[in-house]
Amino acid sequence: MLSNPYLKTLLDLNVEEADSLFIIYAEQPTKRFSYTCGFIFNHFLKSNYKITSDVLEFKTSKHFKINYSHQKIEGAFQLIPQGLLNEIAITPIKPIPSFKNEMIYFYENNIENVFSYDVFSAVFYFISRYEEWQDFKPDVHGRFEADASLLFQNKFHLKPVVDSWITELTESLKDFYPTLNLPAKTFKIISTIDVDNLYAYRAKGLIRTIGAGIKDMLKLDFKNLKERILVISGRKKDPFDIYEDVSNFCFESKIPLIYFFLFRTGTKYDRTVNPETSCYQSVFQSLKKNYALIGLHPSYHSSVNKDLLISEKNKLTEKVEEKITLSRQHYLRFNIRTTPKQLIENGFDTDFTMGFASSPGFRAGTSHPFYYYDFEVEQSNSKLLFVPFCMMDGVYTVYKNTSAEAAYTEMLTIAKEIKKVKGLFISVFHERTFFDHLYKGYGTLYKNLHLKLKEL
């Protein structure tokens, strides 16, 4: 459970202490069911609830009643269970989608005069990341990528469908109980920056600098060579040095900002400035001055080497001079069976990896944070919170080679979908994306996008 009050408020996880608003009847309540109810009623509806298997208690309760059983109970809103929440362990069976009113659904019941699908099972399947525990074909980096996703395969990955289902449930509950009054929610945005390489040219050491200069000449990239010489000679600011500018912008615009720093170098996939150098301190101080949060960007091999994770976290903690509990995996290398356990063992309580590298959209179908569900012990683990993001700059600059204008349009379209469900829009940019020589127009896109999001 998150202990940081600021982060709990930022992620809209606070629920007022009050009497239960809902009582939910289930003949055999399971840990899967409890986990799902926690997400729907606490995280999404900001309401308290009670689960009971005592039918008499349920019938006599004065709370708003939700009957999750095949049994008809007069005066209660009914949902028909389809069995997933009463199962044990993982099966290879994937739910079959159906389509209605431009929306995708799962676990339909085809029974008249009741809610048409088992929203509890549908929500559980996606937020528990059941499909990542099932067999799938990983990409070249061992990741669960977009093309393995059931929502992507059915072209619904750009909509927060889980949030839409819960919104539909909410509207049906309000129709059934006209006096139902739920706490207000608002659309929120958070900017996050992954720092894969602290500087483009500065602080790289003599050998790396000479080697990079030779590569520029071999590629006939004399514009980059000139830029490198100007920066190294102190006549121009390093193009990756966006830290103070971006943190000032977010602070003045009242946009929450989180930086994730890669803190390992010297490998094929980890190529930042040496963490032992002193140049990080001034960067961290400028970020903390504007109240930006700082997390670790665990290196490429840390997801399979716990000693690396420990070392990187300790080094970053020493440099930042504050407790590090936030993470987003470098290259988004994340294995649902092992990575969460490593993060928990090493004191991380919030992970921001839940998204795709190759596509925008919603990996878990939701824009809301949710806790890790461990199928090996069949229960929720509130020691680790997943915070999903909906778009990353690399989708457009690396995978799709999209113009800044086209990317901006799609990002706004996704944001408007999140706005409908009063969810959380989390963007992911990298320090290199602000370098116009590499990605023309994307630095301007960043500021224009986030200012526009403030207006939605």
Side-chain angles (χ1 to χ4, degrees), residues 40 77 79 115 119 165-174:
I40 292 175
F77 183 90
L79 292 163
F115 202 70
V119 63
W165 298 333
I166 300 173
T167 301
E168 285 186 2
L169 172 65
T170 304
E171 293 306 312
S172 293
L173 284 168
K174 287 180 177 179

Side-chain angles (χ1 to χ4, degrees), residues 235-253:
R235 288 177 286 171
K236 193 172 183 179
K237 185 178 179 180
D238 192 285
F240 289 5
D241 189 3
I242 50 88
Y243 310 105
E244 187 169 21
D245 177 53
V246 171
S247 67
N248 283 342
F249 165 76
C250 287
F251 180 73
E252 292 164 5
S253 305

Side-chain angles (χ1 to χ4, degrees), residues 115-224:
F115 202 70
S116 63
Y117 59 101
D118 181 357
V119 63
F120 287 110
S121 287
V123 169
F124 175 79
Y125 181 82
F126 287 99
I127 68 167
S128 69
R129 303 312 303 129
Y130 197 109
E131 64 179 344
E132 294 190 43
W133 287 81
Q134 292 176 311
D135 289 336
F136 66 90
K137 184 179 179 180
D139 76 350
V140 295
H141 299 290
R143 303 175 298 196
F144 178 91
E145 255 309 309
D147 57 4
S149 160
L150 195 55
L151 294 177
F152 181 87
Q153 292 164 10
N154 287 281
K155 297 181 171 56
F156 273 88
H157 60 295
L158 297 181
K159 293 178 180 289
V161 296
V162 166
D163 300 345
S164 296
W165 298 333
I166 300 173
T167 301
E168 285 186 2
L169 172 65
T170 304
E171 293 306 312
S172 293
L173 284 168
K174 287 180 177 179
D175 289 341
F176 195 88
Y177 296 114
T179 60
L180 176 61
N181 185 26
L182 294 167
K185 288 180 59 187
T186 58
F187 168 68
K188 288 189 173 186
I189 61 174
I190 298 175
S191 168
T192 69
I193 309 286
D194 287 353
V195 183
D196 291 350
N197 198 342
L198 187 69
Y199 294 126
Y201 310 122
R202 283 183 57 195
K204 295 297 180 71
L206 182 61
I207 295 175
R208 284 182 70 180
T209 299
I210 292 173
I214 292 172
K215 284 183 181 179
D216 287 341
M217 288 187 285
L218 292 175
K219 292 189 295 183
L220 303 180
D221 192 349
F222 297 110
K223 183 176 180 179
N224 204 52

Side-chain angles (χ1 to χ4, degrees), residues 27-124:
E27 292 173 341
Q28 294 180 319
T30 63
K31 291 178 180 178
R32 293 185 178 191
F33 184 61
S34 297
Y35 169 73
T36 307
C37 288
F39 175 76
I40 292 175
F41 295 99
N42 286 164
H43 286 202
F44 197 100
L45 299 181
K46 321 307 301 174
S47 300
N48 293 290
Y49 66 94
K50 180 181 181 180
I51 297 173
T52 184
S53 58
D54 185 332
V55 71
L56 181 61
E57 178 189 20
F58 181 74
K59 288 179 177 179
T60 57
S61 173
K62 295 181 179 180
H63 302 311
F64 294 107
K65 301 181 180 72
I66 298 175
N67 169 22
Y68 187 62
S69 76
H70 292 273
Q71 170 185 177
K72 182 69 177 177
I73 300 177
E74 195 67 31
F77 183 90
Q78 187 172 19
L79 292 163
I80 305 295
Q82 297 299 303
L84 179 65
L85 303 189
N86 289 100
E87 293 177 0
I88 297 175
I90 299 290
T91 72
I93 300 170
K94 294 191 176 185
I96 299 171
S98 60
F99 306 91
K100 184 180 180 182
N101 299 328
E102 299 183 345
M103 178 53 68
I104 190 170
Y105 297 100
F106 299 89
Y107 301 102
E108 283 198 306
N109 58 50
N110 298 315
I111 298 175
E112 291 185 5
N113 301 320
V114 296
F115 202 70
S116 63
Y117 59 101
D118 181 357
V119 63
F120 287 110
S121 287
V123 169
F124 175 79

